[in-house]
Amino acid sequence: MARLFGTDGARGVAITELTCETAMQIGRAAALVLTKHTSHKAKILIGKDTRISSDVLEAALSAGICSVGADAVILGVVPTPAVAMLVKKYNADAGVMISASHNSVEFNGIKLFAHDGYKLSDEIEEEIEALILDTPEVLTENLKNGTEIGRIERKETAADEYIDYIKDAVNAELSGIKVAIDCANGSSSATAEKLFTKMGAEVLCISSSPDGTNINDKCGSTYMENISDFVKKNNCDLGVAFDGDADRCLAVDESGELIDGDKLIAIFAKAMKEEETLKNDTAVVTVMTNIGFMKFAKENGISVETTKVGDRYVLERMKEKDFNIGGEQSGHIIFLENATTGDGQLSAAKLLSFYKKAGKKMSELASVMTYYPQILVNVKIKPEWKNKLDTVKEITDCIAKNEEKLGDDGRILVRESGTEPLIRVMVEGKEQSEINRVAEEIADMVKKIMV
């Protein structure tokens, strides 16, 4: 990997790209950087998802952490937000989650959390990265021996402590609700059934038998057909689905219709405004959020703050301006008063709580927002055209002409990918045929000039 840390930690094909050696070095470097201002013996938590490679990387990380004199606390299989929460509860110096989130089994990743439960800033990640890539001799110089070597402790109660935290945070009694849950054969397999049963719901779980190889395998929040079919066949009130590390949640109503992240945030924001708990009457979303959300917000007196794509940018805006809900279409939703990162099971528990209070069918609750048809076209461009999109008059004129045609009933977003030589053309509007035409026209113009 040319650069260790991407937008959400280090990630790659486990063992061959994200190697054991790299994991050990990340453990060493993270322990040194994140604990350099402490005088006590440092303590770093490690959680993992259910991938077959997670055990191997856990061992390598633990070895790295302990080799420079810090203690490693093994949490076992837990959701990513559990690591963030427990870092604060245990007064640890840092936390590590081993997971590649919604990616398939061959991938894995390493996400780092600071002592306050928030993901690391770019600056600290770059400092850790520089130690590994530029000055690895510093890591060797800091190796300990004898009684200075760190210890490994196993925390068998971590999953249960997380379950109790979510239950207490939502504080709702869910009896009378029949909910289906797709655990993606991932981290929520260790927590979801117990959590929602404790809260009083009738719980039916699918994809909750991980074997190390089946995480995200045609299941979970990236494969909503399963939960949709299951809800209809079993006459459930609603269904929720998580990704591999359970920091995302999507839902379906009683008819199996998808309720994506945009609709979930709309449901939450409206309920919170009615309860007078929506801070500054504002929700934070990204530029990819459906235009239907903007119209919903205007109709309900809710202000919208828009950020770049990425949950870290949503979180930054929430912290900066004191907002308490934000998220993405993918179902990564942050309730800042309860969590420092997106939490799928917290979102699901909040959804069930609002559902019970409303006394309506889930489809009625989701009707607060009308979803506009959306199309996304990716165009691969030549590398020499990178960062030059806004300078091409033919393309900007084409966009402006079509924006005028769509008017207030549509939206065009043309942006360059941050990771690949791609131009992404996103168009929304009332009529599918019209947005298809617009997207094709703009994409053809990009191809004509930049390909």
Side-chain angles (χ1 to χ4, degrees):
M1 294 177 293
R3 185 173 184 271
L4 289 178
F5 295 105
T7 55
D8 197 19
R11 194 171 292 191
V13 175
I15 312 304
T16 57
E17 290 180 356
L18 182 59
T19 65
C20 296
E21 292 78 7
T22 299
M24 185 180 291
Q25 292 292 71
I26 289 174
R28 286 172 176 162
L32 292 176
V33 170
L34 296 173
T35 63
K36 64 182 178 181
H37 298 302
T38 63
S39 55
H40 60 271
K41 192 174 182 67
K43 178 168 65 177
I44 297 178
L45 311 186
I46 304 176
K48 63 185 175 185
D49 69 18
T50 58
R51 291 162 209 273
I52 194 170
S53 60
S54 290
D55 291 348
V56 180
L57 295 175
E58 175 191 76
L61 273 163
S62 301
I65 289 166
C66 294
S67 69
V68 292
D71 290 341
V73 180
I74 307 299
L75 303 179
V77 172
V78 291
T80 289
V83 176
M85 183 276 287
L86 292 169
V87 164
K88 294 171 69 180
K89 180 173 182 180
Y90 295 162
N91 196 28
D93 297 280
V96 184
M97 180 65 184
I98 304 168
S99 176
S101 190
H102 60 282
N103 291 137
S104 52
V105 67
E106 68 271 21
F107 293 94
N108 218 325
I110 296 173
K111 304 179 188 182
L112 300 172
F113 294 90
H115 66 92
D116 57 4
Y118 289 105
K119 290 179 183 177
L120 299 187
S121 66
D122 289 341
E123 292 74 23
I124 295 178
E125 282 192 346
E126 286 165 7
E127 189 176 350
I128 292 170
E129 193 172 75
L131 264 183
I132 298 167
L133 300 179
D134 302 331
T135 56
E137 66 276 5
V138 175
L139 300 179
T140 305
E141 290 165 5
N142 279 276
L143 294 178
K144 306 298 183 185
N145 57 35
T147 58
E148 292 185 323
I149 296 170
R151 296 177 182 271
I152 295 176
E153 173 190 354
R154 298 190 181 275
K155 203 76 173 177
E156 306 294 345
T157 59
D160 285 335
E161 290 181 68
Y162 168 75
I163 288 168
D164 289 341
Y165 177 80
I166 298 299
K167 181 175 178 290
D168 292 344
V170 177
N171 190 28
E173 207 285 314
L174 304 177
S175 60
I177 299 175
K178 185 177 181 180
V179 59
I181 300 175
D182 187 335
C183 296
N185 291 315
S187 291
S188 61
S189 302
T191 53
E193 184 172 14
K194 192 170 184 179
L195 167 62
F196 293 101
T197 300
K198 263 191 168 187
M199 295 182 75
E202 180 185 350
V203 180
L204 285 71
C205 283
I206 61 173
S207 301
S208 57
S209 301
D211 63 8
T213 67
N214 58 1
I215 187 170
N216 298 321
D217 185 10
K218 296 182 180 177
C219 58
S221 62
T222 54
Y223 200 85
M224 294 298 288
E225 295 91 336
N226 281 356
I227 194 71
S228 176
D229 291 343
F230 188 85
V231 163
K232 289 183 286 186
K233 287 175 184 173
N234 291 275
N235 297 314
C236 298
D237 296 308
L238 72 158
V240 294
F242 307 116
D243 63 339
D245 66 336
D247 64 353
R248 300 184 191 187
C249 171
L250 295 180
V252 295
D253 66 19
E254 72 281 358
S255 301
E257 289 297 313
L258 175 66
I259 304 172
D260 72 353
D262 290 345
K263 278 199 171 184
L264 288 173
I265 298 168
I267 292 168
F268 296 144
K270 187 174 188 293
M272 291 165 69
K273 188 172 192 296
E274 289 169 354
E275 292 178 350
E276 298 184 349
T277 58
L278 182 64
K279 280 193 173 182
N280 299 305
D281 286 342
T282 300
V284 183
V285 296
T286 77
V287 292
M288 292 301 289
T289 294
N290 193 269
I291 191 174
F293 183 89
M294 309 304 174
K295 292 183 178 292
F296 146 81
K298 187 175 182 181
E299 290 165 3
N300 287 274
I302 295 170
S303 299
V304 179
E305 290 269 333
T306 306
T307 74
K308 293 190 292 185
V309 174
D311 62 279
R312 66 167 53 204
Y313 303 113
V314 172
L315 179 60
E316 282 173 7
R317 186 70 56 84
M318 292 173 71
K319 290 171 68 179
E320 175 192 348
K321 295 194 174 182
D322 195 28
F323 303 131
N324 60 348
I325 187 168
E328 298 185 281
Q329 204 174 67
S330 63
H332 198 283
I333 299 170
I334 303 168
F335 290 91
L336 197 52
E337 291 174 321
N338 305 117
T340 54
T341 189
D343 188 328
Q345 287 168 99
L346 175 62
S347 297
K350 293 265 191 184
L351 179 65
L352 268 63
S353 171
F354 290 140
Y355 167 75
K356 184 162 184 180
K357 286 178 188 175
K360 301 175 180 178
K361 288 183 176 182
M362 194 66 238
S363 55
E364 292 179 72
L365 208 58
S367 69
V368 295
M369 173 189 150
T370 300
Y371 201 89
Y372 275 52
Q374 183 183 85
I375 184 170
L376 178 65
V377 179
N378 292 324
V379 181
K380 193 166 186 177
I381 60 172
K382 291 179 180 176
E384 58 263 32
W385 284 102
K386 188 171 175 59
N387 298 323
K388 294 181 180 178
L389 177 64
D390 294 339
T391 68
V392 183
K393 190 173 186 301
E394 293 94 329
I395 296 174
T396 57
D397 284 351
C398 181
I399 294 168
K401 178 189 72 174
N402 281 289
E403 281 177 333
E404 189 175 345
K405 284 183 181 178
L406 290 174
D408 292 336
D409 288 325
R411 183 168 73 106
I412 300 171
L413 177 66
V414 182
R415 66 184 185 93
E416 188 173 328
S417 167
T419 57
E420 304 171 82
L422 291 177
I423 298 296
R424 304 192 190 279
V425 180
M426 190 275 286
V427 185
E428 292 171 344
K430 281 188 172 180
E431 300 295 332
Q432 187 72 53
S433 58
E434 177 65 2
I435 66 169
N436 288 347
R437 183 199 63 76
V438 171
E440 186 177 341
E441 184 177 329
I442 295 172
D444 284 347
M445 184 62 74
V446 173
K447 290 173 187 173
K448 179 180 175 183
I449 296 169
M450 305 178 82
V451 175

